[in-house]
Structure formats: C-alpha cells, structure tokens
Amino acid sequence: MLRPRLLWPVTAASLLTPPGRTPPSLPRCPGCEPCCPGVPLSRCPLVPLSRCRPSAAPSCALDPSPLSRQPSAFPCQAGRQARPRRAERIARGGGGAMAPQRRALPRGPDSSGPGPGPGRGSRRHSSAKKGRSQQDPRARWLKAAILLLFLCAAAGGGLVVWSRVRTQDGIPEGGIPADGVTEVLAHRSDTLQDKFVEVPCSEDYESHRRFAGCTPRKCGRGVTDAVITREEAERIRRIAERGLSLGGSDGGASILDLHSGALSLGKHFVNLYRYFGDKIQDIFTEEDFALYRDVRQRIQQRIAQVFGISSSALYLTKPTFFSRMNSTGAKTTHDEYWHPHVDKVTYGSFDYTSLLYLSDYSKDFGGGRFVFMDADSNKTVEPRAGRVSFFTSGSENLHRVERVQWGTRFAITISFSCDPQHGIGDPGVTGHHP
C-alpha cells in the first residue's frame, strides 16, 4: 500500500494539533518568504539557517514592524533562484509575464488568504502608514530649525563685520558710540541755503590775544550750498588732482598746500615750488590761482556775515591746504586724520575754520563724513561738491573725520585768524613763494 507523499515536511506542531484546528504559526523569517512562504524558519528546505540573519529582518516574524516588510539584505538564492519561477508567480496570483511582480505578504494567524486581510498584513501596512505620518511633521520641523540656524548665523556674521567697521571708525564693538548718538546735520541730498547752529563758546580764546570785532563771542557751526557752485568745485578739484599727481603720500592722506608749497611725497613732504622750480607754470595757470582766490574770498565773506564781524578783520592763515583721502592704511602719523581734535588747540592761530568739499559722499567715496562731537550727540555733515562747512575753531567744536572706506575724498581746508601777525598771502604763479 502506497503512502501519500507529503507536500511539506511534517512538524511536531502539526502532529500535536487536534483535528479540525489550524496549527499554530511558528517563527518565520520574512527575508525567506519569496522562497518558502509559510514555512517555519527551521524547516525551510531551500535556505540554510545561517543565511537568514537577525540583522536582515529584525525580530523576524514574531514582532512585525515596518522594517520587516522591506526586502531582505540576504537573498535566499543567487542567480535565477533569487526570483520565483513564472509558474510560481502565476500560482500566487502574479499574472503573466508583463504583470507587476509583487511579493506576497506573510500570513498571520487570522488571515486565510495571501492578501492583506484583517490579519497581520493589514496591521503591518497600517503601522507603516502611521510611521510615515509621524515622521513628516518631524521632518518639517527639522527643516525649519536648520533654516532658522542658517539665518541666525548669517545675521551674526553681518553683526561681526559691522562691529569691525564701527571699531575702525573709533566706535566700540558694542555698537553704541562712546560720544553719543549720531545725528545728520546736513545730508548729501539736501540743498542748503544757510543752516547755522549756535553753541556756547569755550574758554580757549581767553588764553590768546583778543581782537575786538573779530575774536569769537558768538560760536557755532554752519553749512551752506549757496556760496560755491558744483561747477566751480569741479574746477578747483582739477587743480588739486594736478598738484597731487606730482607726489602723494604712501598712506591714506595726501596734502597739497599752495601757500607754503608743502606736498606729500612718500612718507615725507617736499616744497613744491623749490622741487619743480619754473616747471610749476606747466602745472598751474594764473586762471587757476585766480579762481582759488575768488573762492577763498567768498567763503571769508560768508563767515564774517554769519558771525557778525568785519570781513577785513579776518586774515587767511596757515595751514590752508587741499586734502586727498582714500582707504589706504596709514604709514605715518600724518596719515591718521580720523582722531578727534580741536583746531584752536592744535593750531593756536585758528579762530574760524572752513571746509570746501570737492566730491560727493556715497557717490565718490564711502565713510569720510565730518563729525562734530558734542557731549550729548554727534552732528554729522555729509560732504557734497560745492558744500561749505564752517565753524569757530575752539573746543566747542571738537570734531573728527570718519575713515574713508572706499573711493577718494577731496576737500580744501581754509582757515582764518583774527591776528594779523598770523596772516598769509594768496598763492600765484608770479607771486612770492617760500
């Protein structure tokens, strides 16, 4: 009598199960499901036990998780045996050769078919969806946190650069000027007819000889754009450019004094008229000096008018000079123009100081603004070609010039004294030069 051939090996669990009841499911390795569906791990005839490692399918089939649905890192067999034959795919409902290949989900105790019914397959599918839904908000929050960190880093870098620039201008890294809040007295875009701010006079004039009708009793600072035109300022600037082309400082500040002949050359000064002799007539013309004298006289008259003194009581005094400033680092102390100072203290002959600007702030150069340093705040003048800034020279008008950050700043300083002994004459081609 022939015994029927068993399709699958008989296990102890199947022998001990009462008739009419389903044998309990034994641990199975999901990594081996494509080869041995529904067969216990220990009885798979195609795969050695050593090939299905716990790392390939964590917790195996005892504790289903979304990770266990992924293909095994260790295929059951290599080559052609790694994929089910066509007949096996058809038997599993895979369709013909063009049908998509889908791996059957493992059966659970409550499932009667290969599909994801109400058993373990459906629970595994829902847990995977739940895991993805929980990860999406976390990913969005992570992206937002990274973007926030990036913006904070960019803002921090900008603050570092800003603090360094402010420190170079003599302002501490904390960002608050040591001498108060800065206010703009004259914007470059303004066209000012006359603007004057009166301030109490200092005691600097008491230590010098006083001249009735001239020594300041009314002190302050003024700004006007109505004395010198932009065209005249451009012509004056060309005079400065031609003269400074003969020399120039190695540092950021170059000086040209047409009265004394002083010219910056490297780290020193030379006498322009002695150094070039008669060749100076090829550099400057008599028309240049005539324009220079006319501009100086108009500025002198405006100062006398504002301060209520006689123009004839004022004397041009030294130093009166052109200045060219750029962002080159200082090589000598003469290049450090940005330090706060008082003209009457630095030059005892000064009683009134004026500045004629020959270039435009934020257009021809950056930085380089003129700053009055008061006890409560700073009053800033932004240079503009043709603009004249004038003030009494005592400690009531402590001031400085910001460092030039880029470009080139041109100006001419014209100073006046009430003491005739400190007076100097106007320059000229045929005139007397030191």
Side-chain angles (χ1 to χ4, degrees), residues 106-119:
R107 290 183 176 181
D110 299 330
S111 62
S112 59

Side-chain angles (χ1 to χ4, degrees), residues 229-290:
T229 65
R230 293 186 66 89
E231 292 74 18
E232 290 171 334
E234 291 175 0
R235 291 172 58 191
I236 293 287
R237 174 175 171 171
R238 287 195 289 269
I239 296 174
E241 290 174 337
R242 290 199 303 271
L244 289 168
S245 67
L246 304 174
S249 170
D250 291 340
S254 298
I255 299 300
L256 170 64
D257 188 340
L258 293 180
H259 299 269
S260 66
L263 172 66
S264 298
L265 186 63
K267 297 181 180 179
H268 307 283
F269 292 92
V270 297
N271 189 302
L272 177 71
Y273 302 114
R274 294 177 183 175
Y275 195 83
F276 293 97
D278 294 337
K279 295 181 180 180
I280 199 66
Q281 298 182 17
D282 299 330
I283 307 300
F284 305 115
T285 65
E286 185 60 43
E287 288 76 12
D288 294 334
F289 288 107

Side-chain angles (χ1 to χ4, degrees), residues 390-412:
F390 56 93
F391 49 92
T392 50
S393 305
S395 298
E396 67 277 2
N397 283 315
L398 173 68
H399 62 273
R400 69 181 183 94
V401 176
E402 294 176 338
R403 288 191 183 188
V404 174
Q405 302 297 330
W406 57 269
T408 306
R409 176 189 190 269
F410 284 92
I412 177 172

